[in-house]
Amino acid sequence: MRALYQERGWRVLVAALLVLTAMAGTVGWTLEKGQMPLTGPPPGITAWRADRVSGVPLPDPVRDPPSTAAEFFASLSEAKARALARRHPGVVGNLDGAPVSLRYEANARALRLEHSEQRVRSVNPAVPPAGRARARELAARYSALLTPGRQILAFDPRGRGQLAEVHGDLGRARHVSVIVPGSDNDLSTFDRSRDAYSTPSGMARSLHRAAGDGIAVIAWVGYTTPTGLGPDAATARLAAAGAPRLNRFVTALPTVDGAPRPVVFCHSYGSVVCGLAASGLAASELVVLGSPGLRADSVADLRTRARVWAARDDSDWIRKVPNVEFLGLGHGRDPVDPSFGALRVPTGQVEGHTGYFAPNTESLRAFAEIATGSGTVTGRPPTDREAS
Protein backbone atom coordinates (compact mmCIF):
# COMPACT_ATOMS: atom_id res chain seq x y z
CA MET A 1 0.00 0.00 0.00
CA ARG A 2 2.82 2.39 0.88
CA ALA A 3 4.45 1.66 -2.48
CA LEU A 4 1.16 2.46 -4.22
CA TYR A 5 0.92 5.88 -2.56
CA GLN A 6 4.54 6.61 -3.41
CA GLU A 7 3.89 5.72 -7.04
CA ARG A 8 0.84 8.02 -7.14
CA GLY A 9 2.88 10.81 -5.58
CA TRP A 10 5.55 10.50 -8.23
CA ARG A 11 2.95 10.47 -10.98
CA VAL A 12 1.37 13.69 -9.69
CA LEU A 13 4.79 15.33 -9.31
CA VAL A 14 5.77 14.36 -12.85
CA ALA A 15 2.43 15.68 -14.14
CA ALA A 16 2.97 18.98 -12.33
CA LEU A 17 6.41 19.31 -13.89
CA LEU A 18 4.82 18.62 -17.27
CA VAL A 19 2.40 21.49 -16.66
CA LEU A 20 5.31 23.85 -16.15
CA THR A 21 7.20 22.46 -19.14
CA ALA A 22 4.21 22.56 -21.48
CA MET A 23 3.21 26.09 -20.53
CA ALA A 24 6.77 27.31 -20.91
CA GLY A 25 7.28 25.55 -24.24
CA THR A 26 3.90 26.36 -25.75
CA VAL A 27 3.54 30.09 -25.28
CA GLY A 28 6.27 31.16 -22.91
CA TRP A 29 6.28 31.25 -19.13
CA THR A 30 5.99 34.82 -17.88
CA LEU A 31 7.59 35.45 -14.51
CA GLU A 32 5.75 38.59 -13.49
CA LYS A 33 4.75 39.92 -10.11
CA GLY A 34 1.39 38.49 -9.11
CA GLN A 35 -1.65 40.65 -9.78
CA MET A 36 -3.44 42.20 -6.81
CA PRO A 37 -7.11 41.26 -7.27
CA LEU A 38 -9.57 44.12 -7.20
CA THR A 39 -12.20 43.23 -4.61
CA GLY A 40 -14.50 45.03 -2.22
CA PRO A 41 -16.81 48.00 -2.87
CA PRO A 42 -16.84 50.17 -6.02
CA PRO A 43 -15.09 53.56 -6.22
CA GLY A 44 -16.73 56.38 -4.27
CA ILE A 45 -18.05 54.12 -1.52
CA THR A 46 -17.15 56.45 1.37
CA ALA A 47 -19.32 59.31 0.09
CA TRP A 48 -22.09 56.85 -0.79
CA ARG A 49 -22.22 55.38 2.70
CA ALA A 50 -22.36 58.86 4.21
CA ASP A 51 -25.29 59.93 2.02
CA ARG A 52 -29.01 59.62 2.79
CA VAL A 53 -32.28 59.90 0.86
CA SER A 54 -35.07 61.27 3.03
CA GLY A 55 -32.99 60.21 6.04
CA VAL A 56 -32.73 56.60 4.83
CA PRO A 57 -29.26 55.01 4.38
CA LEU A 58 -28.39 53.90 0.87
CA PRO A 59 -28.11 50.17 0.08
CA ASP A 60 -24.64 48.84 0.75
CA PRO A 61 -22.97 47.32 -2.35
CA VAL A 62 -21.11 44.73 -0.26
CA ARG A 63 -23.32 43.85 2.70
CA ASP A 64 -26.77 44.02 1.08
CA PRO A 65 -28.03 41.58 -1.57
CA PRO A 66 -28.87 42.98 -5.03
CA SER A 67 -32.57 42.65 -4.23
CA THR A 68 -32.19 45.36 -1.57
CA ALA A 69 -30.85 47.80 -4.16
CA ALA A 70 -33.66 46.88 -6.55
CA GLU A 71 -36.31 47.53 -3.91
CA PHE A 72 -34.65 50.78 -2.86
CA PHE A 73 -34.58 52.26 -6.37
CA ALA A 74 -38.12 51.08 -7.04
CA SER A 75 -39.21 53.26 -4.12
CA LEU A 76 -37.57 56.42 -5.52
CA SER A 77 -38.86 58.92 -8.00
CA GLU A 78 -36.96 59.16 -11.27
CA ALA A 79 -35.60 62.56 -10.23
CA LYS A 80 -34.17 61.24 -6.96
CA ALA A 81 -32.68 58.17 -8.63
CA ARG A 82 -30.95 60.25 -11.30
CA ALA A 83 -29.70 62.67 -8.67
CA LEU A 84 -28.01 59.74 -6.91
CA ALA A 85 -26.43 58.65 -10.19
CA ARG A 86 -25.03 62.16 -10.69
CA ARG A 87 -23.64 62.36 -7.14
CA HIS A 88 -22.27 58.81 -7.02
CA PRO A 89 -21.62 57.56 -10.58
CA GLY A 90 -18.91 55.13 -9.47
CA VAL A 91 -21.26 53.32 -7.09
CA VAL A 92 -24.54 53.47 -9.02
CA GLY A 93 -22.81 52.38 -12.22
CA ASN A 94 -21.55 49.21 -10.53
CA LEU A 95 -24.44 48.56 -8.14
CA ASP A 96 -25.94 45.15 -8.82
CA GLY A 97 -29.69 45.48 -8.54
CA ALA A 98 -29.88 49.11 -9.65
CA PRO A 99 -31.96 49.82 -12.79
CA VAL A 100 -30.06 49.01 -15.97
CA SER A 101 -30.77 52.36 -17.66
CA LEU A 102 -29.59 54.21 -14.56
CA ARG A 103 -26.34 52.21 -14.54
CA TYR A 104 -25.75 53.12 -18.18
CA GLU A 105 -26.26 56.78 -17.33
CA ALA A 106 -24.02 56.64 -14.27
CA ASN A 107 -21.20 54.90 -16.13
CA ALA A 108 -21.37 57.38 -18.99
CA ARG A 109 -20.91 60.16 -16.43
CA ALA A 110 -18.03 58.30 -14.74
CA LEU A 111 -16.36 57.80 -18.13
CA ARG A 112 -16.71 61.48 -19.01
CA LEU A 113 -15.13 62.47 -15.70
CA GLU A 114 -12.23 60.06 -16.21
CA HIS A 115 -11.79 61.17 -19.81
CA SER A 116 -11.57 64.81 -18.75
CA GLU A 117 -9.10 64.02 -15.98
CA GLN A 118 -6.82 62.05 -18.29
CA ARG A 119 -6.87 64.73 -20.98
CA VAL A 120 -5.69 67.27 -18.43
CA ARG A 121 -3.04 64.89 -17.18
CA SER A 122 -1.82 64.16 -20.71
CA VAL A 123 -0.68 67.78 -21.20
CA ASN A 124 0.49 68.51 -17.66
CA PRO A 125 4.25 69.23 -17.80
CA ALA A 126 4.57 68.17 -14.17
CA VAL A 127 3.64 64.60 -15.16
CA PRO A 128 6.56 62.46 -16.43
CA PRO A 129 6.53 61.62 -20.18
CA ALA A 130 5.53 58.01 -19.54
CA GLY A 131 2.63 59.19 -17.39
CA ARG A 132 1.46 61.62 -20.07
CA ALA A 133 1.61 58.87 -22.69
CA ARG A 134 -0.44 56.56 -20.49
CA ALA A 135 -2.96 59.36 -19.92
CA ARG A 136 -3.36 59.79 -23.70
CA GLU A 137 -3.99 56.06 -24.07
CA LEU A 138 -6.61 56.09 -21.33
CA ALA A 139 -8.31 59.17 -22.74
CA ALA A 140 -8.58 57.42 -26.10
CA ARG A 141 -10.04 54.29 -24.48
CA TYR A 142 -12.60 56.32 -22.52
CA SER A 143 -13.52 58.22 -25.67
CA ALA A 144 -14.17 54.94 -27.50
CA LEU A 145 -16.35 53.67 -24.67
CA LEU A 146 -18.36 56.92 -24.82
CA THR A 147 -19.32 56.29 -28.46
CA PRO A 148 -23.09 56.81 -28.77
CA GLY A 149 -25.00 53.56 -28.53
CA ARG A 150 -22.56 51.73 -26.27
CA GLN A 151 -24.18 50.37 -23.10
CA ILE A 152 -21.69 50.16 -20.25
CA LEU A 153 -23.18 48.19 -17.37
CA ALA A 154 -20.12 48.36 -15.11
CA PHE A 155 -16.98 50.49 -15.09
CA ASP A 156 -14.14 50.69 -12.59
CA PRO A 157 -10.99 52.60 -13.63
CA ARG A 158 -8.87 51.35 -10.76
CA GLY A 159 -5.90 49.11 -11.43
CA ARG A 160 -5.95 47.77 -15.00
CA GLY A 161 -9.63 48.68 -15.30
CA GLN A 162 -12.77 46.53 -15.28
CA LEU A 163 -16.01 46.88 -17.19
CA ALA A 164 -19.06 45.15 -18.60
CA GLU A 165 -20.86 46.03 -21.82
CA VAL A 166 -24.30 44.97 -23.02
CA HIS A 167 -25.17 44.14 -26.63
CA GLY A 168 -28.94 44.14 -27.09
CA ASP A 169 -31.88 45.25 -24.95
CA LEU A 170 -31.17 43.78 -21.52
CA GLY A 171 -34.46 44.96 -20.05
CA ARG A 172 -36.60 43.20 -22.65
CA ALA A 173 -34.49 40.28 -23.83
CA ARG A 174 -36.01 36.81 -23.66
CA HIS A 175 -32.52 35.34 -23.41
CA VAL A 176 -29.43 36.71 -21.69
CA SER A 177 -25.84 35.47 -22.03
CA VAL A 178 -22.72 36.49 -20.15
CA ILE A 179 -19.20 36.00 -21.53
CA VAL A 180 -16.39 35.59 -18.99
CA PRO A 181 -12.98 36.00 -20.70
CA GLY A 182 -9.57 34.73 -19.62
CA SER A 183 -6.06 36.12 -19.19
CA ASP A 184 -4.82 39.51 -20.38
CA ASN A 185 -8.26 41.12 -20.49
CA ASP A 186 -8.82 44.54 -18.98
CA LEU A 187 -9.74 48.08 -20.01
CA SER A 188 -6.95 48.27 -22.59
CA THR A 189 -7.76 44.98 -24.33
CA PHE A 190 -11.54 44.98 -24.00
CA ASP A 191 -11.99 45.65 -27.70
CA ARG A 192 -9.77 46.26 -30.71
CA SER A 193 -10.02 46.03 -34.48
CA ARG A 194 -7.16 43.53 -34.82
CA ASP A 195 -8.22 39.97 -33.97
CA ALA A 196 -11.56 41.36 -32.84
CA TYR A 197 -13.22 38.04 -32.06
CA SER A 198 -10.62 37.26 -29.40
CA THR A 199 -11.67 40.27 -27.30
CA PRO A 200 -14.50 40.28 -24.75
CA SER A 201 -16.46 42.90 -26.66
CA GLY A 202 -15.85 41.14 -29.99
CA MET A 203 -16.99 37.79 -28.62
CA ALA A 204 -20.20 39.33 -27.26
CA ARG A 205 -20.89 41.27 -30.45
CA SER A 206 -20.37 38.14 -32.56
CA LEU A 207 -22.69 36.02 -30.44
CA HIS A 208 -25.35 38.73 -30.44
CA ARG A 209 -25.28 38.93 -34.24
CA ALA A 210 -25.39 35.15 -34.62
CA ALA A 211 -28.24 34.67 -32.15
CA GLY A 212 -30.49 37.37 -33.60
CA ASP A 213 -33.27 39.38 -32.00
CA GLY A 214 -34.53 38.74 -28.50
CA ILE A 215 -31.14 38.19 -26.88
CA ALA A 216 -28.81 40.38 -24.83
CA VAL A 217 -25.15 39.43 -24.53
CA ILE A 218 -22.87 40.89 -21.87
CA ALA A 219 -19.08 40.99 -22.06
CA TRP A 220 -18.03 40.85 -18.40
CA VAL A 221 -14.50 41.73 -17.31
CA GLY A 222 -15.41 42.10 -13.66
CA TYR A 223 -12.40 40.37 -12.14
CA THR A 224 -8.64 40.81 -12.20
CA THR A 225 -7.32 38.53 -14.94
CA PRO A 226 -3.82 37.02 -15.07
CA THR A 227 -1.27 38.66 -17.36
CA GLY A 228 0.70 36.31 -19.55
CA LEU A 229 1.23 32.70 -18.60
CA GLY A 230 2.85 32.61 -15.20
CA PRO A 231 2.00 31.74 -11.61
CA ASP A 232 -1.30 33.65 -11.69
CA ALA A 233 -2.51 31.72 -14.74
CA ALA A 234 -1.46 28.39 -13.23
CA THR A 235 -3.23 28.89 -9.89
CA ALA A 236 -6.79 29.70 -8.85
CA ARG A 237 -5.95 32.72 -6.69
CA LEU A 238 -7.41 35.34 -9.03
CA ALA A 239 -10.29 33.06 -10.02
CA ALA A 240 -11.23 32.62 -6.36
CA ALA A 241 -11.40 36.40 -5.98
CA GLY A 242 -13.49 36.75 -9.13
CA ALA A 243 -16.00 33.94 -8.55
CA PRO A 244 -18.12 35.74 -5.90
CA ARG A 245 -18.22 38.85 -8.08
CA LEU A 246 -19.50 36.78 -11.02
CA ASN A 247 -22.14 35.11 -8.87
CA ARG A 248 -23.44 38.44 -7.59
CA PHE A 249 -23.44 39.98 -11.06
CA VAL A 250 -25.39 37.13 -12.69
CA THR A 251 -27.85 36.86 -9.80
CA ALA A 252 -28.76 40.54 -10.19
CA LEU A 253 -29.39 40.46 -13.95
CA PRO A 254 -32.97 41.35 -14.89
CA THR A 255 -35.01 38.61 -16.53
CA VAL A 256 -38.32 38.72 -18.36
CA ASP A 257 -41.07 36.74 -16.62
CA GLY A 258 -40.87 33.11 -17.65
CA ALA A 259 -37.48 33.47 -19.35
CA PRO A 260 -34.69 31.01 -18.47
CA ARG A 261 -31.78 31.95 -16.27
CA PRO A 262 -28.77 33.41 -18.12
CA VAL A 263 -26.35 31.32 -20.16
CA VAL A 264 -22.72 31.80 -19.10
CA PHE A 265 -19.85 31.30 -21.56
CA CYS A 266 -16.39 30.94 -20.02
CA HIS A 267 -13.22 31.17 -22.11
CA SER A 268 -9.77 29.93 -21.06
CA TYR A 269 -8.89 31.10 -17.51
CA GLY A 270 -12.43 32.48 -17.29
CA SER A 271 -13.57 28.85 -17.04
CA VAL A 272 -11.57 28.53 -13.80
CA VAL A 273 -13.62 31.45 -12.45
CA CYS A 274 -16.83 29.77 -13.62
CA GLY A 275 -15.82 26.43 -12.15
CA LEU A 276 -15.31 27.96 -8.71
CA ALA A 277 -18.54 29.97 -9.04
CA ALA A 278 -20.63 27.11 -10.46
CA SER A 279 -22.36 25.92 -7.30
CA GLY A 280 -23.86 29.37 -6.70
CA LEU A 281 -24.14 30.55 -10.29
CA ALA A 282 -27.70 31.38 -11.36
CA ALA A 283 -27.23 30.03 -14.88
CA SER A 284 -29.29 27.69 -17.02
CA GLU A 285 -26.34 26.64 -19.20
CA LEU A 286 -22.60 26.76 -18.49
CA VAL A 287 -20.41 26.65 -21.59
CA VAL A 288 -16.61 26.39 -21.25
CA LEU A 289 -14.27 26.78 -24.22
CA GLY A 290 -10.52 26.50 -24.50
CA SER A 291 -10.51 25.56 -20.83
CA PRO A 292 -7.42 24.58 -18.80
CA GLY A 293 -9.77 22.95 -16.27
CA LEU A 294 -12.54 23.94 -13.87
CA ARG A 295 -10.96 22.84 -10.58
CA ALA A 296 -13.31 19.86 -10.61
CA ASP A 297 -13.06 16.23 -11.67
CA SER A 298 -16.57 15.98 -13.11
CA VAL A 299 -19.78 17.84 -13.79
CA ALA A 300 -21.15 16.41 -10.54
CA ASP A 301 -18.26 18.00 -8.63
CA LEU A 302 -19.36 21.44 -9.85
CA ARG A 303 -22.60 21.07 -7.88
CA THR A 304 -24.46 23.19 -10.42
CA ARG A 305 -28.03 23.10 -11.66
CA ALA A 306 -26.84 24.32 -15.06
CA ARG A 307 -26.29 22.02 -18.00
CA VAL A 308 -22.55 21.96 -18.75
CA TRP A 309 -21.00 22.12 -22.23
CA ALA A 310 -17.36 22.04 -23.31
CA ALA A 311 -15.55 23.04 -26.50
CA ARG A 312 -11.92 22.60 -27.48
CA ASP A 313 -10.50 22.44 -30.97
CA ASP A 314 -7.42 20.43 -31.95
CA SER A 315 -5.75 23.66 -33.09
CA ASP A 316 -6.03 25.15 -29.59
CA TRP A 317 -2.66 25.14 -27.76
CA ILE A 318 -4.45 24.62 -24.44
CA ARG A 319 -4.79 20.92 -25.31
CA LYS A 320 -1.03 20.52 -24.79
CA VAL A 321 -1.24 21.57 -21.14
CA PRO A 322 -1.58 18.49 -18.87
CA ASN A 323 -4.78 18.61 -16.85
CA VAL A 324 -3.65 18.10 -13.28
CA GLU A 325 -3.84 19.95 -9.97
CA PHE A 326 -0.94 19.63 -7.54
CA LEU A 327 -0.18 21.90 -4.59
CA GLY A 328 -2.41 24.56 -6.11
CA LEU A 329 -0.74 24.39 -9.53
CA GLY A 330 -2.88 23.47 -12.55
CA HIS A 331 -6.66 23.37 -12.86
CA GLY A 332 -7.62 19.71 -12.91
CA ARG A 333 -9.35 17.41 -15.37
CA ASP A 334 -9.98 18.47 -18.96
CA PRO A 335 -13.72 19.23 -19.32
CA VAL A 336 -13.76 17.63 -22.80
CA ASP A 337 -12.54 14.36 -21.29
CA PRO A 338 -15.43 11.85 -21.60
CA SER A 339 -15.20 11.05 -17.89
CA PHE A 340 -15.89 14.69 -16.98
CA GLY A 341 -19.44 14.37 -18.27
CA ALA A 342 -19.90 17.66 -20.16
CA LEU A 343 -21.78 17.83 -23.44
CA ARG A 344 -19.47 18.43 -26.41
CA VAL A 345 -19.74 21.53 -28.61
CA PRO A 346 -18.61 21.05 -32.24
CA THR A 347 -15.62 23.18 -33.27
CA GLY A 348 -15.36 22.87 -37.05
CA GLN A 349 -13.57 25.82 -38.74
CA VAL A 350 -12.19 27.08 -35.40
CA GLU A 351 -8.59 28.28 -35.57
CA GLY A 352 -6.52 28.49 -32.40
CA HIS A 353 -7.25 29.35 -28.80
CA THR A 354 -9.30 32.48 -29.51
CA GLY A 355 -11.26 31.42 -32.60
CA TYR A 356 -14.42 30.01 -31.04
CA PHE A 357 -16.59 33.10 -31.65
CA ALA A 358 -15.33 33.76 -35.19
CA PRO A 359 -18.03 33.92 -37.87
CA ASN A 360 -18.81 30.76 -39.87
CA THR A 361 -17.51 28.40 -37.19
CA GLU A 362 -19.51 25.45 -35.93
CA SER A 363 -18.86 26.58 -32.37
CA LEU A 364 -20.46 30.02 -32.90
CA ARG A 365 -23.53 28.43 -34.50
CA ALA A 366 -23.80 26.04 -31.56
CA PHE A 367 -23.28 28.86 -29.04
CA ALA A 368 -26.12 30.83 -30.63
CA GLU A 369 -28.44 27.83 -30.41
CA ILE A 370 -27.50 27.20 -26.77
CA ALA A 371 -27.93 30.90 -25.94
CA THR A 372 -31.43 31.03 -27.43
CA GLY A 373 -32.55 27.51 -26.49
CA SER A 374 -33.41 26.74 -30.11
CA GLY A 375 -32.87 23.04 -29.41
CA THR A 376 -31.09 21.96 -32.59
CA VAL A 377 -27.85 21.28 -30.68
CA THR A 378 -28.49 18.29 -28.45
CA GLY A 379 -24.92 17.75 -27.30
CA ARG A 380 -23.29 14.50 -26.23
CA PRO A 381 -20.27 13.48 -24.20
CA PRO A 382 -17.15 13.26 -26.41
CA THR A 383 -15.68 9.91 -27.31
CA ASP A 384 -12.22 8.93 -26.13
CA ARG A 385 -10.92 9.47 -29.65
CA GLU A 386 -12.32 13.01 -29.85
CA ALA A 387 -10.91 13.98 -26.47
CA SER A 388 -7.42 12.68 -27.21
Side-chain angles (χ1 to χ4, degrees):
M1 182 65 71
R2 182 178 179 182
L4 177 60
Y5 282 121
Q6 287 177 335
E7 182 181 354
R8 285 180 179 174
W10 277 110
R11 286 179 179 175
V12 173
L13 179 58
V14 169
L17 291 173
L18 285 172
V19 171
L20 293 173
T21 302
M23 296 184 83
T26 305
V27 289
W29 183 263
T30 303
L31 290 176
E32 294 187 359
K33 183 179 180 181
Q35 298 289 304
M36 181 63 68
L38 184 60
T39 58
I45 189 61
T46 301
W48 172 265
R49 285 174 171 163
D51 203 353
R52 298 288 187 277
V53 172
S54 302
V56 177
L58 308 183
D60 192 278
V62 177
R63 295 190 290 265
D64 295 332
S67 58
T68 298
E71 293 169 1
F72 172 79
F73 278 99
S75 71
L76 299 182
S77 66
E78 181 180 353
K80 287 185 177 181
R82 297 187 72 179
L84 275 178
R86 288 193 297 272
R87 292 203 301 273
H88 309 284
V91 175
V92 175
N94 294 284
L95 185 59
D96 295 320
V100 170
S101 60
L102 193 65
R103 291 180 66 171
Y104 294 160
E105 181 180 329
N107 285 318
R109 177 173 176 78
L111 281 163
R112 287 193 295 270
L113 291 171
E114 288 292 328
H115 178 258
S116 177
E117 180 178 326
Q118 295 303 325
R119 287 192 64 185
V120 170
R121 182 176 171 80
S122 70
V123 295
N124 185 348
V127 176
R132 294 199 300 272
R134 176 58 178 163
R136 287 192 294 271
E137 292 175 5
L138 288 172
R141 293 297 301 124
Y142 297 145
S143 180
L145 291 171
L146 284 166
T147 301
R150 298 195 74 164
Q151 302 175 132
I152 307 302
L153 189 61
F155 167 64
D156 191 333
R158 296 175 298 177
R160 289 160 48 209
Q162 296 182 2
L163 66 158
E165 181 180 20
V166 177
H167 296 264
D169 189 338
L170 183 56
R172 297 181 179 180
R174 293 291 305 175
H175 302 279
V176 176
S177 288
V178 178
I179 295 177
V180 183
S183 298
D184 298 307
N185 282 294
D186 52 30
L187 177 69
S188 297
T189 58
F190 187 75
D191 53 7
R192 58 181 180 270
S193 56
R194 180 179 59 82
D195 196 18
Y197 302 111
S198 70
T199 69
S201 181
M203 292 177 183
R205 187 180 298 109
S206 182
L207 178 59
H208 183 251
R209 288 173 178 169
D213 296 333
I215 184 174
V217 184
I218 305 169
W220 182 82
V221 185
Y223 78 106
T224 302
T225 68
T227 56
L229 282 174
D232 279 344
T235 67
R237 184 177 65 90
L238 296 181
R245 297 168 72 89
L246 176 62
N247 275 335
R248 185 180 178 95
F249 179 81
V250 174
T251 297
L253 290 176
T255 55
V256 176
D257 288 345
R261 297 188 303 276
V263 176
V264 180
F265 293 85
C266 319
H267 179 243
S268 195
Y269 188 84
S271 67
V272 185
V273 179
C274 293
L276 295 180
S279 63
L281 193 60
S284 59
E285 313 273 349
L286 184 62
V287 187
V288 301
L289 45 142
S291 173
L294 280 70
R295 291 271 161 164
D297 288 332
S298 66
V299 167
D301 286 344
L302 293 173
R303 295 183 290 116
T304 178
R305 293 183 296 164
R307 189 165 51 167
V308 181
W309 303 75
R312 193 202 64 211
D313 189 69
D314 286 345
S315 65
D316 189 340
W317 61 259
I318 203 78
R319 70 189 297 270
K320 298 180 181 179
V321 177
N323 292 98
V324 298
E325 192 279 319
F326 178 66
L327 296 179
L329 183 68
H331 302 299
R333 179 162 291 172
D334 188 342
V336 303
D337 188 303
S339 64
F340 191 84
L343 300 172
R344 187 69 179 265
V345 177
T347 57
Q349 291 77 53
V350 169
E351 295 183 6
H353 185 56
T354 58
Y356 296 94
F357 285 92
N360 303 316
T361 56
E362 288 187 0
S363 54
L364 178 61
R365 287 192 288 272
F367 293 163
E369 292 170 4
I370 295 169
T372 57
S374 63
T376 57
V377 174
T378 58
R380 58 178 173 79
T383 65
D384 291 305
R385 182 178 180 182
E386 288 174 320
S388 62

